[in-house]
Amino acid sequence: TKLIPEKSFNFVLFPNPTNDFVELKLNSNSIDFSDKKIEIILTDIQGKEIYRKIGVSEKRETVPMNECLPGIYFISVIY
């Protein structure tokens, strides 16, 4: 069995609160963004998927929020 090293990264989300969009800034030296394996998912408090982007290749991503009702939302960043 070969162990695969865990990749870790931090991200900053701003502005919060927002009306139109949020910027997601990914911070990592251990992730190769060119392989496009990063996925961003926005869900509401009930778990309904609002937005999904597969194949993120940049350290900064804009997530649209202009059609979201006021409330609590969750951002998942998967690598």
Side-chain angles (χ1 to χ4, degrees), residues 31-38 55-59 79:
I31 292 179
D32 180 7
F33 287 89
S34 66
D35 65 12
K36 298 183 180 182
K37 292 184 179 178
I38 297 174
V56 174
S57 61
E58 300 292 327
K59 290 187 176 187
Y79 180 75

Side-chain angles (χ1 to χ4, degrees), residues 61-73:
E61 189 68 34
T62 300
V63 178
M65 302 280 298
N66 56 334
E67 294 184 17
C68 296
L69 296 173
I72 298 172
Y73 294 87

Side-chain angles (χ1 to χ4, degrees), residues 13-68:
L13 185 71
F14 59 92
N16 185 13
T18 188
N19 292 323
D20 298 324
F21 65 90
V22 291
E23 288 286 330
L24 184 66
K25 182 179 176 189
L26 304 167
N27 300 313
S28 175
N29 293 329
S30 64
I31 292 179
D32 180 7
F33 287 89
S34 66
D35 65 12
K36 298 183 180 182
K37 292 184 179 178
I38 297 174
E39 184 174 347
I40 297 172
I41 304 167
L42 174 69
T43 55
D44 66 12
I45 191 99
Q46 297 173 334
K48 179 182 173 191
E49 187 175 299
I50 306 298
Y51 173 85
R52 176 185 293 254
K53 181 161 184 186
I54 300 171
V56 174
S57 61
E58 300 292 327
K59 290 187 176 187
R60 182 171 276 202
E61 189 68 34
T62 300
V63 178
M65 302 280 298
N66 56 334
E67 294 184 17
C68 296

